[in-house]
Short mmCIF file of all heavy atoms in Angstrom, two decimals:
data_model
loop_
_atom_site.label_atom_id
_atom_site.label_comp_id
_atom_site.label_asym_id
_atom_site.label_seq_id
_atom_site.Cartn_x
_atom_site.Cartn_y
_atom_site.Cartn_z
N GLY A 369 7.40 36.74 -3.13
CA GLY A 369 7.17 37.36 -1.83
C GLY A 369 6.75 36.26 -0.81
O GLY A 369 6.86 36.43 0.40
N ASP A 370 6.35 35.09 -1.31
CA ASP A 370 6.01 33.95 -0.36
C ASP A 370 7.29 33.45 0.32
O ASP A 370 8.27 33.47 -0.35
CB ASP A 370 5.33 32.80 -1.11
CG ASP A 370 3.91 32.99 -1.57
OD1 ASP A 370 3.32 34.00 -1.11
OD2 ASP A 370 3.42 32.21 -2.41
N ALA A 371 7.09 32.96 1.49
CA ALA A 371 8.24 32.31 2.24
C ALA A 371 8.74 31.13 1.36
O ALA A 371 7.89 30.32 0.84
CB ALA A 371 7.79 31.86 3.57
N ALA A 372 9.98 31.11 1.22
CA ALA A 372 10.53 30.01 0.32
C ALA A 372 10.79 28.74 1.12
O ALA A 372 12.01 28.28 1.42
CB ALA A 372 11.85 30.50 -0.30
N ASN A 373 9.73 28.05 1.62
CA ASN A 373 9.74 26.81 2.15
C ASN A 373 9.18 25.81 1.17
O ASN A 373 8.00 25.78 0.97
CB ASN A 373 8.92 26.73 3.46
CG ASN A 373 9.57 27.83 4.48
OD1 ASN A 373 10.80 28.01 4.61
ND2 ASN A 373 8.64 28.43 5.22
N ALA A 374 10.04 25.01 0.61
CA ALA A 374 9.57 24.05 -0.44
C ALA A 374 10.28 22.78 -0.60
O ALA A 374 11.32 22.56 -0.01
CB ALA A 374 9.67 24.88 -1.77
N LEU A 375 9.74 21.88 -1.35
CA LEU A 375 10.32 20.61 -1.62
C LEU A 375 10.47 20.39 -3.04
O LEU A 375 9.62 20.74 -3.78
CB LEU A 375 9.41 19.50 -1.01
CG LEU A 375 8.93 19.70 0.48
CD1 LEU A 375 7.85 18.60 0.68
CD2 LEU A 375 10.05 19.52 1.44
N LEU A 376 11.51 19.64 -3.49
CA LEU A 376 11.53 19.03 -4.75
C LEU A 376 11.24 17.55 -4.65
O LEU A 376 11.81 16.83 -3.86
CB LEU A 376 12.93 19.20 -5.38
CG LEU A 376 13.20 20.65 -5.95
CD1 LEU A 376 14.66 20.78 -6.44
CD2 LEU A 376 12.28 21.15 -7.04
N VAL A 377 10.27 17.21 -5.52
CA VAL A 377 9.87 15.70 -5.45
C VAL A 377 9.92 15.16 -6.84
O VAL A 377 9.72 15.87 -7.78
CB VAL A 377 8.45 15.50 -4.89
CG1 VAL A 377 8.42 15.85 -3.37
CG2 VAL A 377 7.38 16.29 -5.55
N ASP A 378 10.25 13.85 -6.96
CA ASP A 378 10.26 13.21 -8.27
C ASP A 378 8.86 12.72 -8.51
O ASP A 378 8.49 11.57 -8.39
CB ASP A 378 11.27 11.97 -8.22
CG ASP A 378 11.35 11.37 -9.55
OD1 ASP A 378 11.24 12.04 -10.64
OD2 ASP A 378 11.56 10.08 -9.57
N ALA A 379 8.10 13.69 -9.10
CA ALA A 379 6.67 13.43 -9.41
C ALA A 379 6.18 14.42 -10.38
O ALA A 379 6.83 15.49 -10.63
CB ALA A 379 5.86 13.54 -8.16
N VAL A 380 5.01 14.25 -10.97
CA VAL A 380 4.50 15.19 -11.95
C VAL A 380 3.33 15.87 -11.44
O VAL A 380 2.63 16.71 -12.13
CB VAL A 380 4.21 14.49 -13.24
CG1 VAL A 380 5.50 14.12 -13.98
CG2 VAL A 380 3.24 13.18 -13.13
N SER A 381 2.79 15.64 -10.30
CA SER A 381 1.74 16.38 -9.65
C SER A 381 1.63 16.03 -8.15
O SER A 381 2.20 15.11 -7.70
CB SER A 381 0.38 16.13 -10.28
OG SER A 381 -0.03 14.77 -9.94
N ALA A 382 0.95 16.91 -7.31
CA ALA A 382 0.81 16.71 -5.96
C ALA A 382 0.13 15.36 -5.79
O ALA A 382 0.40 14.54 -4.88
CB ALA A 382 0.05 17.91 -5.35
N ALA A 383 -0.92 15.06 -6.61
CA ALA A 383 -1.78 13.90 -6.59
C ALA A 383 -0.83 12.68 -6.84
O ALA A 383 -0.90 11.72 -6.04
CB ALA A 383 -2.88 13.88 -7.54
N HIS A 384 0.08 12.75 -7.78
CA HIS A 384 0.99 11.68 -8.05
C HIS A 384 1.92 11.42 -6.87
O HIS A 384 2.09 10.33 -6.45
CB HIS A 384 1.84 12.10 -9.30
CG HIS A 384 2.81 11.09 -9.72
ND1 HIS A 384 4.01 11.44 -10.37
CD2 HIS A 384 2.86 9.76 -9.63
CE1 HIS A 384 4.73 10.40 -10.62
NE2 HIS A 384 4.09 9.30 -10.20
N THR A 385 2.38 12.47 -6.31
CA THR A 385 3.28 12.43 -5.14
C THR A 385 2.62 11.62 -3.99
O THR A 385 3.17 10.68 -3.40
CB THR A 385 3.62 13.82 -4.56
OG1 THR A 385 4.11 14.61 -5.62
CG2 THR A 385 4.62 13.83 -3.44
N ILE A 386 1.38 11.99 -3.69
CA ILE A 386 0.68 11.35 -2.55
C ILE A 386 0.28 9.92 -2.91
O ILE A 386 0.39 9.07 -2.08
CB ILE A 386 -0.60 12.22 -2.22
CG1 ILE A 386 -0.16 13.61 -1.71
CG2 ILE A 386 -1.41 11.58 -1.15
CD1 ILE A 386 -1.35 14.61 -1.61
N ALA A 387 -0.30 9.68 -4.12
CA ALA A 387 -0.88 8.36 -4.45
C ALA A 387 0.27 7.32 -4.46
O ALA A 387 0.17 6.25 -3.97
CB ALA A 387 -1.56 8.48 -5.68
N ARG A 388 1.34 7.72 -5.14
CA ARG A 388 2.45 6.75 -5.37
C ARG A 388 3.66 7.00 -4.43
O ARG A 388 4.74 6.34 -4.83
CB ARG A 388 2.85 6.77 -6.87
CG ARG A 388 1.73 6.33 -7.75
CD ARG A 388 2.22 5.72 -8.98
NE ARG A 388 1.06 5.29 -9.82
CZ ARG A 388 1.23 4.92 -11.14
NH1 ARG A 388 2.35 4.96 -11.66
NH2 ARG A 388 0.20 4.41 -11.77
N LEU A 389 3.52 7.72 -3.42
CA LEU A 389 4.63 7.90 -2.39
C LEU A 389 5.85 8.26 -3.04
O LEU A 389 6.93 7.60 -2.91
CB LEU A 389 4.72 6.58 -1.69
CG LEU A 389 3.48 5.96 -0.94
CD1 LEU A 389 3.72 4.65 -0.55
CD2 LEU A 389 3.02 6.87 0.15
N CYS A 390 5.83 9.27 -3.91
CA CYS A 390 7.10 9.70 -4.58
C CYS A 390 7.98 10.35 -3.61
O CYS A 390 7.69 11.01 -2.66
CB CYS A 390 6.68 10.67 -5.74
SG CYS A 390 5.59 10.00 -6.92
N PRO A 391 9.32 10.17 -3.94
CA PRO A 391 10.36 10.59 -2.98
C PRO A 391 10.67 12.15 -3.03
O PRO A 391 10.66 12.74 -4.09
CB PRO A 391 11.65 9.74 -3.35
CG PRO A 391 11.42 9.49 -4.76
CD PRO A 391 9.85 9.48 -5.09
N ILE A 392 11.08 12.64 -1.86
CA ILE A 392 11.55 14.07 -1.70
C ILE A 392 13.08 14.00 -2.01
O ILE A 392 13.72 13.08 -1.44
CB ILE A 392 11.28 14.48 -0.34
CG1 ILE A 392 9.78 14.58 -0.06
CG2 ILE A 392 11.91 15.92 -0.07
CD1 ILE A 392 9.45 14.83 1.38
#
Side-chain angles (χ1 to χ4, degrees):
Chain A
D370 285 349
N373 300 325
L375 309 172
L376 283 174
V377 293
D378 182 30
V380 291
S381 69
H384 180 211
T385 307
I386 297 168
R388 295 206 178 171
L389 305 168
C390 298
I392 296 167

